[in-house]
Amino acid sequence: GAIPVGGVKLFQYPKPGEQCTMIRTTDDVYVAYSQKCTHLSCAVFYAAAENRLECPCHQGYCSVRDGSVLQGPPTRSLPCVVLERSGDELIAIRLEPEV
């Protein structure tokens, strides 16, 4: 089903057990990232109030817009899941950068 603007949907990609998070940032824009922090692989979560992805383990913050690091300790951006629209469905087609 449709998720509201500011809403989040978790899914597994590229294989089972690899958690990703999809965020609907505006009516027409959805972004998705690996949920695994590039620092020590803790699960990041979407903090709507701050509009960023946060790692609770070591306070690493990443941009919702492009996955880039806003505050360390992570030094690499979150891998972005490229989404492609197919009718009413959004399909994950690849990770960038490939991991």
Side-chain angles (χ1 to χ4, degrees):
I3 58 174
V5 173
V8 171
K9 181 179 183 179
L10 299 180
F11 63 100
Q12 298 191 3
Y13 183 82
K15 53 185 186 276
E18 303 264 331
Q19 278 290 93
C20 295
T21 185
M22 179 171 75
I23 304 146
R24 184 175 187 179
T25 56
T26 67
D27 277 345
D28 302 325
V29 179
Y30 293 82
V31 291
Y33 300 98
S34 165
Q35 222 188 347
K36 202 184 287 176
C37 181
T38 56
H39 177 226
L40 292 172
S41 301
C42 289
V44 298
F45 66 94
Y46 175 54
E50 283 79 26
N51 194 37
R52 65 189 178 196
L53 293 147
E54 301 189 350
C55 179
C57 296
H58 306 98
Q59 283 71 56
Y61 304 144
C62 291
S63 166
V64 169
R65 195 171 49 81
D66 59 5
S68 61
V69 177
L70 300 173
Q71 175 181 305
T75 55
R76 288 176 296 125
S77 298
L78 283 175
C80 179
V81 181
V82 178
L83 301 170
E84 198 168 78
R85 189 173 284 285
S86 173
D88 289 338
E89 297 285 303
L90 284 168
I91 299 166
I93 55 171
R94 67 179 179 278
L95 272 177
E96 286 184 350
E98 296 282 337
V99 286

